[in-house]
Structures are given as structure tokens and as C-alpha cells.
Amino acid sequence: PRPLIKSIVKVINPQVGESIYDGAAGSAGFLCEASDWMRQGKVLSAAEQRILQKSTFYGKEKKSLAYVIGIMNMILHGVEAPNILHSNTLAETQEQDQMDVVLANPPFGGKERAEIQKHFPIKTSETAYLFLQHFIKILKSGGRCGVVIKNTFLSNTNHASVALRKQLLEECNLFAVLDLPGGAFIGT
């Protein structure tokens, strides 16, 4: 929901000059909202405009239709050449540049094959948990992340859930956990 995206972007507070990434970009809602946030009520210099156009927003999307919608959405929000790639983020094994900010709503309940899972230290077929590991890895030291994850993550006792919660508490500076009421996501 758009109010949730706006709230997460407000808390993360992305700034011009920071790299912003969504590895499950979908319609690029988080990237568009971050762009709007950084332009809101400001007169940006030509140099700042260039930074926003060329070296701020990065994303990846696996599904073809969502990829096209994401590109279009970024263009409609003033980013004329979006850095969104049509690829499966979880299948990529090469080292990637680290990002200042991660904003994402990864897919829940999906399953990934064993050959993709082997690239992650905490083994699980749950795509949302694999994305969470990817986001932790891609963040720069001191970077900030706002991510939507299903609420069962907080109470599940399976190995992956426990190991990821432990990693978040020990290696990350966990600022807040917001639990949304039922019905916040239509159809869930």
C-alpha cells in the first residue's frame, strides 16, 4: 500500500548522493517514492538532478510485465533512464556494488531451487528470506534498509527464521519493527 511505502521512505530518509536499491523492484513503487521524497519541496541544482537521473536508483525485477511497469513508472516520476535490470536477483552470484539504502517488498511464499539457495549462508527455499540475506549483504556499512517481510518471520521457529533474526540482532542496527494489522495488504 502506498501509505506504507511513504512511511518507510520517510523513516529511511534517502538523500541526494546516496545509492538506492530495490532487488525486487516490481512496479518500482519504493524507487519512485524515494525519488519524490528527495525532490519534495527542494530546488535541486543541475548537478543534483544529474545524480538523481544517473547514479541514484538501482533495481532488478524477474517478471517481465512488472519490469516494464517499473521502468514506465520511474519515467513517469521523472527518472528518464532508470537503472532497473530484468533479471533474477537471487540467481546472480557475482559481487555487486554496495548500496547506501535498500527499500524493498520482496515476494513472500515463493520457493527457490537448491542451486540458487547454495549462494546464501542461511539455507531456505523461502524467497523473502533469501532476499533479506541479499539485502544485508548488499548494504554498505552504515547503510539503511526498509523492507516489508511477512509477520510470521517474527515467530517462526524454523532454522532460517531463527538464524535470520539472530543475524539482524547481532550484525545489524535494528531500529524498528512495525506489525501491520490484518487486511493491510489486499488479498492476504
Side-chain angles (χ1 to χ4, degrees), residues 14 16 20 23 29 44 52-53 67 72 78 90-91 104 107 109 112 137 142 146-147 150 155 169 175 179:
V16 175
I20 301 165
L44 300 175
L52 286 181
Q53 286 295 328
Y67 165 73
M72 178 196 67
L90 299 176
E112 281 294 347
K137 183 178 180 182
V147 63
K150 59 186 178 178
S155 58
L169 292 172
F175 174 73
D179 188 14

Side-chain angles (χ1 to χ4, degrees), residues 125-139:
S125 63
E126 167 60 64
T127 53
Y129 294 1
L130 296 173
F131 271 106
L132 193 53
Q133 291 179 74
H134 168 69
F135 297 148
I136 291 169
K137 183 178 180 182
I138 203 166
L139 267 180

Side-chain angles (χ1 to χ4, degrees), residues 2 5-6 9 27-40 44 49 52-53 56-57 68-82 84:
R2 190 60 55 182
I5 292 172
K6 286 178 184 259
V9 169
S27 64
F30 270 113
L31 298 176
C32 291
E33 195 58 46
S35 174
D36 291 350
W37 172 263
M38 290 188 287
R39 297 170 197 267
Q40 176 180 304
L44 300 175
Q49 288 285 2
L52 286 181
Q53 286 295 328
T56 299
F57 305 104
V68 172
I69 291 171
I71 294 285
M72 178 196 67
N73 204 8
M74 290 295 292
I75 292 168
L76 291 173
H77 281 261
V79 180
E80 296 170 5
I84 299 177

Side-chain angles (χ1 to χ4, degrees), residues 63-138:
K63 295 184 178 177
S64 297
L65 180 58
Y67 165 73
V68 172
I69 291 171
I71 294 285
M72 178 196 67
N73 204 8
M74 290 295 292
I75 292 168
L76 291 173
H77 281 261
V79 180
E80 296 170 5
N83 296 311
I84 299 177
L85 301 176
H86 186 211
S87 67
N88 182 351
T89 301
L90 299 176
E92 296 179 3
T93 58
Q94 63 201 29
E95 286 296 316
Q96 300 173 354
D97 291 339
Q98 290 192 300
M99 299 289 161
D100 296 300
V101 172
V102 172
L103 297 165
N105 180 10
F108 307 155
K111 302 291 181 206
E112 281 294 347
R113 301 176 314 274
E115 60 266 19
I116 289 178
Q117 295 176 43
K118 71 180 178 186
H119 303 296
F120 295 90
I122 300 170
K123 305 299 179 225
T124 178
S125 63
E126 167 60 64
T127 53
Y129 294 1
L130 296 173
F131 271 106
L132 193 53
Q133 291 179 74
H134 168 69
F135 297 148
I136 291 169
K137 183 178 180 182
I138 203 166

